Amino acid sequence: MGRVTDLVRFSTLLTDEGQALLAALRDYDPAQELAVASRLRREHPVGLVTAALTQARLRQRAVAKFGAADAHRMFFTPNGVEQATRSSVAAYRAGRFAALGVRSVADLCSGIGGDAIALARAGISVLAVDRDPQTAEVARANAEALGLAELIEVRCADVTEIDTGAYDAVFVDPARRGGRGRIFDPEAYSPPLSWAIGAARTRPHAALKIAPGIPHEAVPDDAEAEWISDGGDVKEAVLWFGTRPGTVGATLLPGPRSLTGKGLPDPGVREVGRFLYEPDGAVIRAHLVAEVAEELDGGLLDETIAYITADELRPTPYATAYEITDELPFGLKKLKALLREREVGNLTVKKRGSAIEPEELRRKVKPKGPNAATVFLTRVAGAPTMLIGRPA
């Protein structure tokens, strides 16, 4: 009954009255929701007002992923906003499919249609499949709202029952959340990763979206593994089939900037140089720190820590550079005294290999003054160490 009610309420948003109400709520303040709801219920049905307010909140949340122009035309579910691919990542992936000559894709577990939209905008026809009736209706409404209905067919079905033989490629985005939150075991995905890999191998090309924390040993030998970050935040990993088997890569957006693994051994540990480089998260997840260290003629501060140290400043898109001014054994009193002497009030705290939390450190050292600094809580050759510096 609940699903039927949800579908009925959602359908009211597609009416002229519903669309007008959503347009009026575009910039409403959720903190004023009670007053807004009371006013609107005098003019519109209660169910429509409830659905419109919910949708308006979801659209505001979706702006970060889809941009204002699309988010305020699209429709969402709470899970859809949470799980949908960021539009920049979806557009990059769609571009890779197009470059492979793919003209049609079966998008399995399509959700609200974020990837289907990007594929259609790349000129690819899409079959978007999701087993949840409301999610499928939302995806259909999004294709209509963005003028892509001719390229996107939405089907409510179990993806394991879909015949993908007529499509150039498949894209599978298994559900990685359950009733208890995030799922870490790939075989507990819905559908399981093993099923998705089997589906991928039936077509000339395929891409499987997976969690970035997947163990490297779980990557099949015939797949290319790509870790993707956007604006410095790791978003996902993708297994590609029909591309470059056995290749490991990191792609940074915007750009894109792509780094491919060479199978290098781990860099050696060396003394702290003038510069510290913090590799992008996608580089770390892809185990490509050695490739970046080679580019920088650098080494590691510690064999277990993904910080690179070098004597020269060499700009690279794959790591952020900091000039190190001080190296101290770990000790809050020493750090507090140094920050007071330097009049540092704007303190950025970064850590790898340290148990202390950044906020805890800030509370204890009480930075005060007009100057800025970055402190790295880490290990140098196994010893707890504080490195103080600034962006290079």
Side-chain angles (χ1 to χ4, degrees):
M1 186 68 180
R3 285 190 172 187
V4 173
T5 302
D6 288 343
L7 278 169
V8 170
R9 282 188 174 176
F10 177 71
S11 68
T12 64
L13 296 176
L14 305 180
T15 65
D16 290 344
E17 182 181 11
Q19 295 282 52
L21 189 52
L22 281 173
L25 287 171
R26 173 172 174 143
D27 298 315
Y28 101 103
D29 181 359
Q32 305 296 319
E33 182 165 322
L34 283 176
V36 172
S38 297
R39 175 175 57 79
L40 293 177
R41 284 169 183 159
R42 293 195 292 268
E43 306 166 10
H44 304 280
V46 172
L48 174 59
V49 171
T50 300
L53 286 168
T54 298
Q55 196 59 227
R57 287 197 305 272
L58 293 174
R59 284 180 166 184
Q60 289 180 359
R61 284 172 53 194
V63 168
K65 279 191 174 182
F66 290 90
D70 280 352
H72 287 293
R73 289 189 291 164
M74 292 173 66
F75 298 90
F76 302 94
T77 64
N79 284 341
V81 172
E82 182 73 25
Q83 298 173 13
T85 303
R86 182 178 290 266
S87 61
S88 54
V89 178
Y92 163 74
R93 180 165 39 243
R96 278 205 65 176
F97 270 124
L100 291 168
V102 169
R103 306 306 302 159
S104 61
V105 171
D107 179 2
L108 308 180
C109 310
S110 59
I112 61 166
D115 279 281
I117 289 165
L119 289 164
R121 284 175 167 167
I124 297 170
S125 62
V126 186
L127 170 66
V129 184
D130 200 281
R131 68 182 179 184
D132 180 71
Q134 185 179 8
T135 302
E137 283 301 313
V138 169
R140 190 172 289 113
N142 285 335
E144 289 279 357
L146 298 179
L148 299 169
E150 289 188 4
L151 283 169
I152 301 175
E153 175 194 348
V154 179
R155 193 179 301 175
C156 183
D158 185 330
V159 297
T160 63
E161 298 174 359
I162 296 296
D163 180 2
T164 61
Y167 297 87
D168 296 339
V170 296
F171 171 62
V172 189
D173 182 5
R176 296 181 299 282
R177 287 184 178 273
R180 296 182 178 179
R182 198 179 299 274
I183 295 170
F184 295 98
D185 178 7
E187 285 307 294
Y189 291 174
S190 180
L193 181 58
S194 57
W195 179 88
I197 290 171
R201 287 171 174 159
T202 67
R203 307 311 310 137
H205 299 289
L208 313 180
K209 178 179 170 181
I210 53 176
I214 187 171
H216 280 231
E217 55 268 24
V219 175
D221 292 340
D222 57 338
E224 169 195 346
E226 179 184 33
W227 278 260
I228 302 174
S229 68
D230 187 13
D233 294 328
V234 182
K235 294 303 178 185
E236 62 186 58
V238 185
L239 300 183
W240 289 93
F241 292 80
T243 53
R244 301 175 295 173
T247 300
V248 175
T251 295
L252 282 55
L253 302 175
R257 301 290 190 120
S258 293
L259 180 67
T260 302
K262 301 177 184 177
L264 298 178
D266 290 340
V269 175
R270 51 157 291 177
E271 293 181 354
V272 178
R274 182 177 174 185
F275 298 97
L276 179 149
Y277 292 85
E278 181 181 28
D280 184 271
V283 169
I284 295 172
R285 293 281 195 174
H287 296 179
L288 300 182
V289 173
E291 280 72 6
V292 177
E294 181 186 62
E295 177 185 332
L296 299 171
D297 192 24
L300 298 181
L301 294 173
D302 182 275
E303 63 181 7
T304 64
I305 305 292
Y307 282 142
I308 298 169
T309 185
D311 295 320
E312 294 181 17
L313 179 62
R314 297 185 182 181
T316 173
Y318 304 113
T320 303
Y322 295 84
E323 184 176 10
I324 299 303
T325 56
D326 299 270
E327 176 185 356
L328 301 171
F330 181 81
L332 293 180
K333 286 186 178 179
K334 293 179 181 178
L335 179 62
K336 188 173 182 177
L338 185 144
L339 296 176
R340 186 169 57 244
E341 177 187 327
R342 306 271 174 85
E343 296 184 306
V344 171
N346 182 2
L347 181 66
T348 300
V349 183
K350 293 178 172 287
K351 69 162 201 164
R352 285 209 180 118
S354 173
I356 192 166
E357 292 299 325
E359 286 307 316
E360 179 187 356
L361 182 135
R362 282 195 193 89
R363 282 197 306 271
K364 289 183 175 179
V365 301
K366 300 181 175 122
K368 186 178 180 181
N371 299 320
T374 300
V375 59
F376 294 87
L377 307 177
T378 187
R379 293 194 300 271
V380 173
T385 303
M386 302 179 299
L387 301 176
I388 294 87
R390 52 180 172 264

